[in-house]
């Protein structure tokens, strides 16, 4: 990942570690039938430790000089 001037680790964390939102739609009874929409319905939150994905353990075993990406210590 290439950072532009002024970007820090906190910048990528704020970009990556955001919530995933969806639409929550409910029907309101009565004629005429109408619907209400909540577009800020939080589905899940992310807490990535690194902007890089972990390297598969099988690849670490296969290439003994390969080093795991920072932030992924519990992948074993």
């Amino acid at each position: 990942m290439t950072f532009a001037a002024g970007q820090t680790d906190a910048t990528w964390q704020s970009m990556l570690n955001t919530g995933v939102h969806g639409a929550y739609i409910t029907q309101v009874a009565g004629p005429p039938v109408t619907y209400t929409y909540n577009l800020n319905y939080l589905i899940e939150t992310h807490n990535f430790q690194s902007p890089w994905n972990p390297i598969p353990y099988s690849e670490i075993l296969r290439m003994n000089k390969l080093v795991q990406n920072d932030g992924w210590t519990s992948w074993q």
Side-chain angles (χ1 to χ4, degrees):
M1 175 179 280
T2 304
F3 293 112
Q7 283 187 317
T8 63
D9 284 350
T11 304
W12 71 257
Q13 286 176 334
S14 66
M15 291 186 304
L16 268 168
N17 294 327
T18 59
V20 177
H21 291 81
Y24 186 74
I25 304 169
T26 54
Q27 181 178 350
V28 178
V33 175
T34 58
Y35 298 89
T36 60
Y37 303 92
N38 177 1
L39 300 179
N40 292 318
Y41 180 66
L42 184 63
I43 296 173
E44 65 180 299
T45 57
H46 292 177
N47 188 19
F48 295 112
Q49 303 165 15
S50 171
W52 314 108
N53 286 328
I55 299 170
Y57 185 61
S58 60
E59 295 301 310
I60 298 286
L61 291 175
R62 197 168 64 94
M63 295 176 261
N64 62 353
K65 294 190 186 226
L66 194 60
V67 177
Q68 185 57 268
N69 289 323
D70 289 338
W72 297 101
T73 56
S74 62
W75 57 275
Q76 295 183 10

